[in-house]
Amino acid sequence: MMAITDYRLLVVLGPTASGKTRLGVGLARALGGEVISADSRQVYRGMDIGTGKDREEYGEIPCHLIDIADPGYEFSVFEFQRRFLDVWAEVRGRGRLPVLVGGTGLYLDAVLRGYRLVAVPANGPLRAELAALVPEELQERLCRANPRLHNTTDLLDRERLVRAIEIAEYEAEHPPEPLPALAPLVFGIRWERSELRRRITERLKARLAGGMIEEVERLHAAGVPWATLDYFGLEYRFVASYLRGELNRNDLFQKLNSAIHDFAKRQETWFRRMERHGVPIHWLDGAAEPLTAALALLGRTGARAGR
């Protein structure tokens, strides 16, 4: 049982097709909140059906960080964190409760575990200086700049090694600003495995019938290259393969359905990893009434929105 707390952020997470949007909107409606999306693909305009924006579920509830970039723009976790913090402050400034909803583990982790991210520009003079050093000298310089180095793969590739030195030396001179105290309260939705698989399959059928193939056609006709659609993965990669004649309709469904099931497993693995790293998640049964359970849990613990 969680301790009594004043929370400044509600979070709703779960695997794809688990009903996150419905729960997030329900909490926002009940508690005077606004939704902030934590989905790495919903940031892109025109990618609606494949990403499951489900606009009809929001009604009068505002939703932020959806449709803020054009496909092809490289939207990073750093930009997500920066934009999230801006929106979080704006929503609270209006006296409303921010409700973060999504399934992109890296985005959620960046917020909940407070990644200290800094935008590090390329340093031409430094790179010229490093070009004269042999790999062993570069490794030594990186270890001096970052004694707490934990990603040893940076020591194996020269380009990554140079970039790691660039980042470490920049951060030493430009320490990141302290992050605000978010005081998050995190809810997760769980389903029995077979039921989640059924929900994923039924949703995919509905999306294919609802114009997902035509959506990908429109994106490509508007100038989004096949390579970019492949990069977005899952629905966009497989539908693009179908449109290029590399898959027939049955293979499109079967292969995409299997890929989404695998993706849901990876999401659940990421959430378990977040728990191991100290993020408490209060799991709700998706087959019951998760909104009722979440509100009851808030009431039982005395949790209340902080100011």
Side-chain angles (χ1 to χ4, degrees), residues 6 17 39 47 66 124 147 150 192 205 210 234 245 249:
D6 289 339
D39 188 294
M47 295 173 57
I66 284 181
H150 59 86
E192 193 275 330
K205 290 177 181 178
L234 293 176
R249 182 63 180 256

Side-chain angles (χ1 to χ4, degrees), residues 121-130 166:
N123 185 331
L126 174 62
R127 292 187 176 195
E129 176 189 346
L130 297 177
E166 194 171 50

Side-chain angles (χ1 to χ4, degrees), residues 33-140:
E34 299 182 18
V35 172
I36 307 173
S37 171
D39 188 294
S40 63
R41 300 189 303 171
Q42 290 188 1
V43 299
Y44 295 108
R45 303 180 186 95
M47 295 173 57
D48 302 327
I49 300 173
T51 65
K53 289 178 183 171
D54 300 328
R55 297 176 182 278
E56 69 281 357
E57 291 201 38
Y58 290 98
E60 80 288 1
I61 301 299
C63 183
H64 305 274
L65 301 190
I66 284 181
D67 292 342
I68 57 176
D70 291 325
Y73 176 79
E74 188 174 346
F75 194 89
S76 66
V77 64
F78 168 80
E79 184 163 357
F80 170 77
Q81 187 191 57
R82 178 176 58 81
R83 286 182 177 246
F84 163 80
L85 291 172
D86 288 344
V87 172
W88 176 83
E90 291 170 6
V91 172
R92 283 182 47 79
R94 291 193 293 272
R96 307 277 287 174
L97 174 65
V99 183
L100 182 64
V101 179
T104 299
L106 184 59
Y107 284 12
L108 292 163
D109 219 21
V111 168
L112 296 175
R113 295 179 58 213
Y115 287 12
R116 305 302 294 272
L117 301 173
V118 177
V120 180
N123 185 331
L126 174 62
R127 292 187 176 195
E129 176 189 346
L130 297 177
L133 303 182
V134 299
E136 291 76 14
E137 291 173 314
L138 291 173
Q139 293 170 10
E140 182 181 351

